[in-house]
Amino acid sequence: MFKSLGKSLLRQGSGTIGGFIVILFVLIAVFAPLIATHDPNEMFLVDRLKPPLTHSDTGLHFMGFDSLGRDVFSRVVYGARISLYVGVVATVISLVIGCTLGLLAGYYRGAVDMIIMRLVDIQLAFPFMLLALTIMATLGAGTTQIILVMGVFEWMRYARIVRGETLSLREMEFVEAAKASGTRNALIMFRHILPNIVAPVVVVTTFNVASNILAEASLSFLGLGVDAGTPSWGSMLSESRDFLQEAWWVATFPGIATMLSVLGINLLGDWLRDFLDPKIK
Amino acid sequence: MIKMIIFRLFQGIVVIVGVTLIVFFASYLTGDPARLMLGEMATIQQVEQFRELHGLNDPLPLQYWNFISNAARGDFGQSIYYRDSNLVLVLERLPATLKLSGVAMLGALLLSIPLGLLSALKRNTWSDTLISSIGLLGQSAPNFWVGLIMIMFFSVQLGLLPVSGMSTWKSYILPGVTLMFWPLAQNIRMMRSSMIEVLNADYIKTAKAKGLRQIVIILKHALRNAVKPVITLIGMQLGSFLGGAIITETIFSWPGVGRLALQAIMVKDFPLLQTVVAFLAIGFVVINLIVDIAYAVLDPRVR
């Protein structure tokens, strides 16, 4: 399995690029303190809005300074940390909620299925951004809040897929055999059915991390995202709005970082989808 | 088909009730809405007066029922921040949002179909690679960033297009492109893969074997079927259009409901937010119904 996975990844150029970008961003996030050239929150007020490649008393500043005199490069590096952290943790929460509800709906059918699927309809039917903003406004901005909001409001995709697969798997002979031998329902769902649905779930998970990174950036851009002071790509872009005329770099670099990381995950997701489940192409 | 429409309408009502319920209870999560709106400096008497005036002393289910039944009669109450009728505030701004979303949705539809078609027909050529790359990049770039970059280039550097506001046709270009960027990318990819799938179907092979001209096969037989998933996708994208409108309208100071919603959220004007949300939900349900009907017209099997 792993050998053919590696072979397929290398054969498909875009998958390789995606994998490379993702690994790069993960490394940047993990080793941020070693890679960043400065403290991301340290202010050099005399150097505010100086352009990229500025040499100052504190060394070389690759990406210049922002409006408060902070090093843009170091903030972009630390931004990778918060983006990936929020993206991954929120995805895990949705994954757990969505898979559990999807399994319950598909396995028990009837009223349980109807209630869960109507919940899915309601959530799918409404702009995530509006709900997220409303909840963020009531809870207040903050990293934990944003993770919870994204985690709780993105489970539907998992629920839909898992339910669909469970509906067909529950009729299979191995499930009937498990039932006949007296295995408990919970055990059938989690030990026998769930491992057979891993492929589509992994694909959805990949795209979910990408969309969560974008959602975090959007919410932080509107001022309702991560904690104030935390270097995040979205909040950097938000701060750049008033200086577009004199400092292009403040808006450009965090945007490129967001785009690249999401692009890498999307490329990897595309390849994973083709590899794991050609049916859902 | 009538059965389907009735079912969808029922589903729509469930959606509207569900969404307004979420916003309604969200306004109570932070504690006393009256204190929240009046601020820490307000006296207990003022708070009590406010609660009485806005019916905040009633039990929660009754308050929600009052909201729904008043709304059904067209009375959405007063905005706490603007001190004006919520309905008037929303109706004043609705046309701006509808125009912008319409421009963006039309642009996404009109561009994605030919681009996706071209990409599928010229599979694995440079034009396919180019179009697919645009699609992939479009899905990866945050739309607000695209908006900022366009402002920097077209407004600040070149001085060609207005930075903000809604005036001439030129003012629609930047926000329109910003809003359509993401759906466009998604539609191109969907159109491409759906067209490739359709072109491999047996009935297309039959049409080819019959000696029909390629243009007839593509336009008459393939396109009709290939476009269906794109239409469904547009229905699903409406939510993101409305969500995207909040950000786009904020960046470009567009006088629409998206910006009004954000303002309501920022000043915690929940009655106004509730009205905006109800309107967006109704709009969403109605447009989705239209999409479903269009789908049924295109594909008799769904009727």
Side-chain angles (χ1 to χ4, degrees), chain A residues 45 75 107 216 228 258:
Chain A
L45 285 171
R75 290 184 74 72
Y107 190 77
E216 182 273 315
T258 315

XYZ file of all heavy atoms in Angstrom, chain A residues 45 75 107 216 228 258:
52
model
N 9.798 50.894 15.893
C 8.953 51.984 15.381
C 9.654 52.886 14.371
O 9.036 53.409 13.446
C 8.385 52.794 16.543
C 7.246 52.060 17.273
C 6.852 52.799 18.540
C 6.045 51.838 16.376
N 6.585 37.398 11.085
C 5.141 37.272 11.315
C 4.524 36.252 10.356
O 3.639 35.493 10.730
C 4.438 38.632 11.180
C 4.780 39.561 12.324
C 4.029 40.867 12.244
N 2.615 40.785 12.584
C 2.131 40.607 13.806
N 2.964 40.487 14.812
N 0.840 40.558 14.016
N -26.537 3.861 10.105
C -26.679 2.543 10.726
C -28.091 2.332 11.266
O -28.697 1.294 11.047
C -25.651 2.389 11.843
C -25.563 0.986 12.391
C -24.901 -0.012 11.684
C -26.157 0.653 13.604
C -24.831 -1.299 12.170
C -26.094 -0.635 14.100
C -25.424 -1.604 13.387
O -25.356 -2.884 13.868
N -10.314 30.774 8.586
C -9.629 31.458 9.695
C -9.084 32.791 9.220
O -9.229 33.818 9.883
C -8.485 30.577 10.234
C -7.728 31.140 11.421
C -6.569 32.059 11.026
O -5.806 31.715 10.128
O -6.446 33.143 11.625
N -6.045 38.853 19.612
C -5.312 40.034 19.160
C -3.842 39.864 19.534
O -3.524 39.364 20.611
C -5.893 41.263 19.823
N -0.817 32.346 2.436
C -2.121 31.688 2.561
C -2.411 30.895 1.295
O -2.787 29.716 1.347
C -3.253 32.731 2.745
O -2.845 33.691 3.685
C -4.542 32.076 3.187
